[in-house]
Amino acid sequence: MEKRCADTQVKGVSTGTTILAATFDGGVVIGSDSRASMGGEYVSSKTINKVIQVHDQIFCCMAGSLADAQAVIKAAKFHLSFHCVQMETPPLVIAAASILKDLCYKNKDELQAGFITAGWDRKKGPQVYVVSLGGMLISQPVTIGGSGSTYIYGYTDAKYKPNMSRDECLQFATNALSLAMGRDNVSGGVAHLVVITEAGVEHVVIPGNKLPKFHDE
């Protein structure tokens, strides 16, 4: 008979990560690192893009269980496309965030996934929403999440200013990700950033060796 240890656990892949989003004058920046971990200790991938486009000018960052987050995003894209057909107009950012919130809340006992949703729409302009692991929805001008966020709360509070310019906000997001990736053992790789404005979407990828340095490494 096969013997199994009673304390053996199968650890799933998680996005042990740093994710963030911040609004600026006329737009929003959303970004993350590129690592996925197993059990919060072993880095299983250095090339995960956790900034996912759910509609033309709406993106989300995922945290928690990678498989759970990907399943929720897949379902959210389906619901959002159906919503667009019904409304005959591009979706609002709050609509995308609400769909993610409903999926997380209704499946809170089975899923372990949280999201930052950011984008621009014709009604409210640039917006950022947080969907917690249990399905709570919060609107904030700037937010950070993931395992690396614990290292940069002070930096975020001190350096974020409302109505920053695009370049100032992009530099703020880059610095925040670099600081978190330098301290968190399961955050790292490259920085994926997306700038969203009324004019469109701009993707920015910064390799690890091009990120700003704030201490000797």
Side-chain angles (χ1 to χ4, degrees):
M1 178 181 293
E2 182 182 0
K3 295 183 179 179
R4 296 184 180 182
C5 297
D7 59 348
T8 299
Q9 291 183 326
V10 178
K11 296 182 178 179
V13 177
S14 66
T15 52
T17 186
T18 303
I19 57 176
L20 59 81
T23 57
F24 62 89
D25 185 18
V28 61
V29 174
I30 184 170
S32 78
D33 71 318
S34 64
R35 283 185 179 174
S37 65
M38 295 186 70
E41 301 165 356
Y42 169 71
V43 175
S44 58
S45 175
K46 295 182 179 179
T47 58
I48 295 291
N49 184 359
K50 289 168 276 190
V51 185
I52 309 298
Q53 187 172 22
V54 294
H55 204 265
D56 293 347
Q57 290 172 286
I58 306 174
F59 286 73
C60 69
C61 281
M62 52 188 179
S65 166
L66 182 59
D68 290 352
Q70 288 175 330
V72 171
I73 289 175
K74 184 176 181 180
K77 285 182 177 180
F78 172 80
H79 286 292
L80 196 60
S81 63
F82 186 68
H83 172 79
C84 293
V85 172
Q86 286 182 310
M87 301 300 293
E88 297 183 341
T89 185
L92 302 178
V93 181
I94 185 63
S98 296
I99 289 171
L100 288 167
K101 181 264 295 182
D102 288 343
L103 289 168
C104 289
Y105 180 74
K106 290 176 181 178
N107 301 281
K108 60 182 179 294
D109 294 330
E110 289 79 31
L111 297 178
Q112 190 176 24
F115 302 91
I116 295 174
T117 306
W120 185 96
D121 63 46
R122 66 197 179 281
K123 187 174 182 180
K124 291 187 176 181
Q127 299 149 72
V128 173
Y129 296 95
V130 181
V131 178
S132 69
L133 294 180
M136 181 175 64
L137 180 63
I138 305 171
S139 174
Q140 296 179 318
V142 60
T143 189
I144 56 178
S147 57
S149 67
T150 57
Y151 299 95
I152 56 172
Y153 277 104
Y155 175 83
T156 304
D157 291 341
K159 295 298 184 180
Y160 176 77
K161 301 291 187 296
N163 300 315
M164 289 190 291
S165 68
R166 171 203 173 276
D167 291 344
E168 287 173 335
C169 191
L170 190 59
Q171 190 62 59
F172 161 79
T174 302
N175 290 348
L177 286 174
S178 180
L179 285 165
M181 291 159 68
R183 295 296 184 184
D184 182 32
N185 67 319
V186 289
S187 293
V190 306
H192 290 282
L193 294 158
V194 177
V195 183
I196 311 163
T197 63
E198 182 180 5
V201 172
E202 177 188 358
H203 295 262
V204 179
V205 179
I206 305 175
N209 61 353
K210 299 295 184 180
L211 288 169
K213 302 295 183 183
F214 296 94
H215 53 83
D216 294 332
E217 294 183 343

